[in-house]
Amino acid sequence: MLLLAVAFIVAFVLLLYMVSPLISPKPLKLPGAHVVVTGGSSGIGKCIAIECYKQGAFITLIARDENKLLQTKKEIEKYSVNDKQVVLCISVDVSKDYEKVENVLKQAQEKLGPVDMLVNCAGTSVTGKFEDIEVNSFERLMAVNYLGSVYPSRAVIATMKERRMGRIVFVSSQAGQLGLFGYTAYSPTKFALRGLAEALQMEVKPYNIYVTVAYPPDTDTPGFAEESKTKPLETKLISETSSVCQAEQVARVIVKDAIQGNFNSSVGSDGYMLSILTSGMSPVTSITEGLQQVVCMGIFRIIGLFYLGSFDSIVRRCMMQREKSESADKTE
């Protein structure tokens, strides 16, 4: 009886692997495609643009700093695979004025054709204790990290639906899967992208448009270096439990998942575990992916509880050390 049950499970798994490719979206072909990258002048955005350009795409870079854009354009053009490729630079703040964002994207599409893939990578971060962060920082981060993804997506979605094809990528963060000490202003903005992506995917899937949410870990970028300057001690100690990835590695994974139409994009073993743990009611690209979530959820939850326990221990230890230091100062 046991052997029969095992044989049935094995046959069922094999069937899922066979059926899975039939229900998965067809990969997007990047050669000749028009890829728009916001926040593309540095960090992960720049590396995503380079990765797409290496595969033959036409690139529109959007960022605020025109000088950085022009420098990045020269760097990207070194990786051209044919003489027809173009890198277009547009300086605009994607978080402030929707009409401006809509107009610049219309101009980009007039020059390079309809947008095949939009990568929303514009973002910023502020770390600190909840009561120490300026109130206007909460507003600014929500504008940049959330509305800065809403506006470009809103500007291209109609054309994608008309063409019955497209990819939209939201670059979130592992801090958009797990709330951590010091990220009370940052994490909610990245969590918001997940909700937007899930709702939007349900709307656009019938039009052969697929949404990807990327959850990169700590990544060696100028933004990460700037963020590290203001991290509370607790945040630094928690961050030490995971390694820092290279932007090029993260970009390759995001581009690959976006091409395939995968909803979740994660890097490394920790990223894989977090994606399983936080899958909830998020869409799956294949039956295989859903099966992995069902099988791994329990054991990953146990591992996750150990992580949470260690994080709580770090916070308590820092609090006790701080109170001890303050008490010693008062007695002097």
Side-chain angles (χ1 to χ4, degrees):
M1 191 68 179
L2 179 61
L3 289 175
L4 183 62
V6 172
F8 175 79
I9 293 172
V10 171
F12 179 67
V13 172
L14 289 174
L15 178 63
L16 289 179
Y17 272 99
M18 293 172 62
V19 174
S20 179
L22 300 179
I23 65 170
S24 299
K26 291 182 179 180
L28 176 71
K29 296 179 180 179
L30 280 184
H34 181 191
V35 178
V36 174
V37 184
T38 70
S41 62
S42 65
I44 294 174
K46 181 177 77 172
C47 290
I48 288 174
I50 289 174
E51 183 64 25
C52 291
Y53 199 69
K54 285 180 178 178
Q55 298 187 40
F58 289 67
I59 305 295
T60 294
L61 292 176
I62 298 178
R64 290 176 300 174
D65 193 318
E66 190 170 358
N67 290 329
K68 282 186 179 180
L69 279 170
L70 294 176
Q71 292 173 5
T72 302
K73 172 183 168 71
K74 293 178 181 178
E75 186 175 344
I76 294 174
E77 288 175 338
K78 297 176 183 177
Y79 298 95
S80 64
V81 295
N82 61 66
D83 296 335
K84 296 181 180 179
Q85 283 179 278
V86 176
V87 179
L88 178 65
C89 294
I90 300 176
S91 175
V92 68
D93 187 335
V94 293
S95 67
K96 286 190 175 180
D97 189 330
Y98 172 69
E99 289 186 0
K100 282 186 178 179
V101 175
E102 186 180 34
N103 288 334
V104 298
L105 281 168
K106 282 182 179 179
Q107 294 171 18
Q109 293 186 91
E110 288 172 359
K111 293 179 180 179
L112 301 183
V115 175
D116 296 291
M117 183 162 80
L118 167 66
V119 182
N120 293 291
C121 201
T124 188
S125 175
V126 171
T127 56
K129 294 180 183 178
F130 182 67
E131 68 272 21
D132 294 337
I133 299 174
E134 296 292 336
V135 172
N136 60 9
S137 292
F138 289 87
E139 298 170 351
R140 180 169 63 87
L141 261 63
M142 186 58 75
V144 176
N145 296 347
Y146 179 68
L147 294 179
S149 292
V150 171
Y151 292 168
S153 302
R154 179 69 174 74
V156 302
I157 198 68
T159 304
M160 285 186 175
K161 291 173 78 171
E162 288 173 4
R163 300 174 66 222
R164 295 294 197 274
M165 66 170 291
R167 297 285 192 272
I168 296 178
V169 181
F170 297 106
V171 179
S172 180
S173 165
Q174 285 188 353
Q177 296 172 294
L178 170 66
L180 294 173
F181 191 106
Y183 288 109
T184 52
Y186 179 70
S187 279
T189 65
K190 293 299 187 178
F191 268 87
L193 291 176
R194 159 79 176 269
L196 169 63
E198 287 190 5
L200 182 60
Q201 179 63 97
M202 193 174 290
E203 287 189 22
V204 301
K205 188 176 181 180
Y207 296 89
N208 193 37
I209 301 169
Y210 288 88
V211 177
T212 297
V213 187
Y215 300 103
D218 286 343
T219 306
D220 186 11
T221 65
F224 177 71
E226 190 64 28
E227 170 194 310
S228 298
K229 295 178 182 178
T230 59
K231 279 183 179 178
L233 177 59
E234 292 89 341
T235 309
K236 290 180 179 179
L237 293 174
I238 290 172
S239 297
E240 288 175 359
T241 61
S242 60
S243 58
V244 178
C245 290
Q246 297 300 309
E248 295 82 1
Q249 175 193 1
V250 173
R252 283 194 295 270
V253 173
I254 293 174
V255 171
K256 179 182 177 182
D257 285 329
I259 289 172
Q260 297 296 328
N262 295 333
F263 183 78
N264 287 302
S265 178
S266 60
V267 179
S269 56
D270 286 348
Y272 177 74
M273 183 179 73
L274 275 174
S275 290
I276 296 289
L277 280 173
T278 60
S279 56
M281 288 293 289
S282 63
V284 294
T285 310
S286 67
I287 296 176
T288 305
E289 182 184 0
L291 182 64
Q292 290 173 347
Q293 293 170 356
V294 171
V295 172
C296 297
M297 180 70 77
I299 185 65
F300 283 176
R301 177 57 176 168
I302 294 173
I303 297 172
L305 289 174
F306 279 102
Y307 271 99
L308 289 173
S310 68
F311 296 160
D312 286 341
S313 177
I314 289 171
V315 173
R316 284 196 301 271
R317 188 168 67 249
C318 289
M319 182 189 72
M320 292 172 65
Q321 290 175 350
R322 190 175 292 109
E323 289 179 345
K324 184 178 181 180
S325 177
E326 291 173 354
S327 177
D329 290 341
K330 289 179 180 179
T331 58
E332 291 180 355

